[in-house]
Amino acid sequence: MSRGVGRAGAGQGAAAALQLLVTLSFLPSVVEAQVTGVLDDCLCDVDSIDNFNTFKIFPKIKKLQERDYFRYYKVNLKRPCPFWAEDGHCSIKDCHVEPCPESKIPVGIKAGSSNKYLKVANNTKELEDCEQASKLGAINSTLSNQSREAFIDWARYDDSQDHFCELDDERSPAAQYVDLLLNPERYTGYKGPSAWRVWNSIYEENCFKPRSVYRPLNPLAPSRGEDDGESFYTWLEGLCLEKRVFYKLISGLHASINLHLCANYLLEETWGKPTWGPNMKEFKRRFDPVETKGEGPRRLKNLYFLYLIELRALSKVAPYFERSIVDLYTGNVKEDADTKTLLLNIFQDTKSFPMHFDEKSMFAGDKKGAKSLKEEFRLHFKNISRIMDCVGCDKCRLWGKLQTQGLGTALKILFSEKEIQKLPENSPSKGFQLTRQEIVALLNAFGRLSTSIKELQNFKVLLQHSR
């Protein structure tokens, strides 16, 4: 070995040793960032959620997300931002989302777009898999079968219900199917003024921030000195339950997204081959109690709170899917039956959870005041769903739209209990319906939360082993 190579090897070894020392220096504080105890505004504790998610939910929801019905999501990534002039789309290659070419979409699926609620014949053997990278798939937008007349009647019912989200028009030429498995949510490098403006608009304009609070709620905002840290959140105590819940849902969603970015980080790229994996330094920056002045653990607790809300929604909507009229149709009879069986199995697990959030405690005041507050709550969230069209990174926009729509669908379910109880067994109901887009978003959004909690546990294990 030459002297030059030896020096290079020694230099690399010293660099690696230095990196290890840097990593070890922050491990104790990161381990402390793991949250425990009872969550605010409910009677559930973190450990119970961890165990329930790890052993019951996560393995099944992961399988469900791999099923054809749930892996393809129709979305319009070209809708203009309704609030400000766009900065232009991110040019980083990892921001890119490649839709499935029209020629790759089976005829039966394309027919399903114009007959949204009709079960149409699909003569293709199976949904064709799109080839790697540039080949993204598509799926039928059809929900079920039974009677043509009933579904035509069902189709007439749409905009009369209280949507919590701005839904994409699936008939728009700009709406395209995306294979979620080939476009995983992970770190893309999207940051800076564009990302800051999106989250700033969400927190400052839509999270019921009192006028007396001057410090930005946005975690991406620069430090404001003494007003930072856990003590800042005393303002939350002065809000009503509904507004506290709203803030926690948004904070929890932000924490979940950040966890995915930390867990699927671009660690290195050699000869065009990227290596993705957990980035402990990034995790510390976002959640360590010292670096975040105590705010990191609060953000993680809000993630658990959001998980509880969506878990409750799944348990409440189970009767909708238990009816024989609901068929998760893709054209593959056996797979469709297996998919529904797996989904119903997940619903049974959600109903078995003993410490659900009680949504009846919300909007429980005088009727007029409660109705007004609920409408304000709905419109604020709908506004946030519209802000997702301002995200400059296509992949971030894709997952932002899906997860806000999933949460919006969960809220719609929680506040439609009476309508769900009145569902007829063998015919569509005019009181409560879910589109295929809402169903796919609901289950994938919950799958993202389940994955976040699992990834949080993985970080804890990784950090303990590194010590």
Side-chain angles (χ1 to χ4, degrees), residues 366-428:
D366 68 279
K367 283 191 175 181
K368 188 176 180 181
K371 185 177 180 181
S372 174
L373 181 59
K374 182 179 177 182
E375 180 64 5
E376 190 180 9
F377 190 101
R378 185 183 73 85
L379 291 177
H380 276 237
F381 193 85
K382 192 170 185 177
N383 213 39
I384 289 174
S385 75
R386 298 177 70 205
I387 294 173
M388 290 299 116
D389 285 317
C390 301
V391 176
C393 162
D394 275 352
K395 188 169 286 184
C396 306
R397 181 183 291 207
L398 164 67
W399 285 102
K401 285 169 76 81
L402 182 144
Q403 289 173 90
T404 52
Q405 185 179 10
L407 176 52
T409 304
L411 294 171
K412 170 181 165 180
I413 291 165
L414 288 180
F415 303 124
S416 302
E417 183 176 21
K418 290 181 181 178
E419 290 80 3
I420 293 173
Q421 288 174 346
K422 295 176 183 177
L423 287 171
E425 174 60 33
N426 296 312
S427 63

Side-chain angles (χ1 to χ4, degrees), residues 102-138:
E102 183 76 10
S103 61
K104 295 292 183 181
I105 304 174
V107 176
I109 290 175
K110 285 188 276 192
S113 298
S114 58
N115 297 288
K116 200 157 136 187
Y117 300 107
L118 303 179
K119 187 172 185 176
V120 294
N122 189 342
N123 294 324
T124 55
K125 269 187 176 185
E126 293 181 0
L127 297 173
E128 297 177 16
D129 288 332
C130 295
E131 298 162 27
Q132 188 68 14
S134 64
K135 310 175 192 189
L136 298 174

Side-chain angles (χ1 to χ4, degrees), residues 4-71:
V5 173
R7 284 175 180 169
Q12 290 171 354
L18 179 60
Q19 177 61 40
L20 179 61
L21 287 173
V22 171
T23 301
L24 290 174
S25 69
F26 64 66
L27 288 178
S29 60
V30 176
V31 173
E32 290 168 9
Q34 310 308 314
V35 293
T36 57
V38 177
L39 300 175
D40 296 333
D41 292 321
C42 60
L43 299 175
C44 186
D45 65 279
V46 168
D47 290 341
S48 296
I49 296 175
D50 281 339
N51 291 330
F52 180 76
N53 184 66
T54 299
F55 298 109
K56 284 201 169 184
I57 294 296
F58 179 73
K60 294 176 184 177
I61 200 76
K62 190 171 183 293
K63 283 184 182 178
L64 189 75
Q65 290 175 286
E66 294 169 357
R67 299 283 183 170
D68 282 349
Y69 188 88
F70 290 100
R71 69 182 285 183

Side-chain angles (χ1 to χ4, degrees), residues 1-258:
M1 179 174 68
S2 71
R3 186 176 300 174
V5 173
R7 284 175 180 169
Q12 290 171 354
L18 179 60
Q19 177 61 40
L20 179 61
L21 287 173
V22 171
T23 301
L24 290 174
S25 69
F26 64 66
L27 288 178
S29 60
V30 176
V31 173
E32 290 168 9
Q34 310 308 314
V35 293
T36 57
V38 177
L39 300 175
D40 296 333
D41 292 321
C42 60
L43 299 175
C44 186
D45 65 279
V46 168
D47 290 341
S48 296
I49 296 175
D50 281 339
N51 291 330
F52 180 76
N53 184 66
T54 299
F55 298 109
K56 284 201 169 184
I57 294 296
F58 179 73
K60 294 176 184 177
I61 200 76
K62 190 171 183 293
K63 283 184 182 178
L64 189 75
Q65 290 175 286
E66 294 169 357
R67 299 283 183 170
D68 282 349
Y69 188 88
F70 290 100
R71 69 182 285 183
Y72 299 107
Y73 180 61
K74 196 167 190 181
V75 61
N76 184 354
L77 297 175
K78 297 178 181 178
R79 284 177 64 167
C81 173
F83 300 108
W84 56 78
E86 295 183 74
D87 302 318
H89 282 272
C90 176
S91 60
I92 302 172
K93 67 176 182 177
D94 292 318
C95 287
H96 183 61
V97 171
E98 186 70 34
C100 192
E102 183 76 10
S103 61
K104 295 292 183 181
I105 304 174
V107 176
I109 290 175
K110 285 188 276 192
S113 298
S114 58
N115 297 288
K116 200 157 136 187
Y117 300 107
L118 303 179
K119 187 172 185 176
V120 294
N122 189 342
N123 294 324
T124 55
K125 269 187 176 185
E126 293 181 0
L127 297 173
E128 297 177 16
D129 288 332
C130 295
E131 298 162 27
Q132 188 68 14
S134 64
K135 310 175 192 189
L136 298 174
I139 194 101
N140 203 319
S141 64
T142 312
L143 271 179
S144 190
N145 47 18
Q146 305 297 332
S147 95
R148 182 178 295 266
E149 292 77 16
F151 279 100
I152 291 173
D153 189 42
W154 180 0
R156 292 193 192 105
Y157 172 88
D158 232 343
D159 295 329
S160 58
Q161 53 189 322
D162 291 337
H163 287 296
F164 279 78
C165 282
E166 184 85 14
L167 301 179
D168 283 347
D169 182 359
E170 295 187 62
R171 297 165 297 180
S172 167
Q176 296 173 302
Y177 286 98
V178 172
D179 185 338
L180 299 175
L181 296 184
L182 295 184
N183 289 273
E185 183 182 22
R186 60 191 180 193
Y187 181 80
T188 64
Y190 175 62
K191 54 187 176 181
S194 177
W196 181 87
R197 179 155 53 171
V198 167
W199 282 111
N200 199 62
S201 180
I202 289 172
Y203 281 108
E204 299 303 307
E205 299 167 19
N206 294 282
C207 280
F208 300 101
K209 178 183 174 181
R211 292 182 180 179
S212 58
V213 176
Y214 297 106
R215 201 207 85 168
L217 305 187
N218 183 2
L220 300 179
S223 173
R224 291 296 183 92
E226 294 180 1
D227 209 14
D228 286 336
E230 184 66 18
S231 61
F232 166 68
Y233 289 93
T234 52
W235 66 271
L236 266 177
E237 299 168 9
L239 295 183
C240 63
L241 171 65
E242 292 80 3
K243 293 181 179 181
R244 287 201 307 273
V245 166
F246 192 98
Y247 170 78
K248 288 180 182 180
L249 296 181
I250 301 306
S251 173
L253 178 60
H254 199 179
S256 179
I257 291 170
N258 281 336

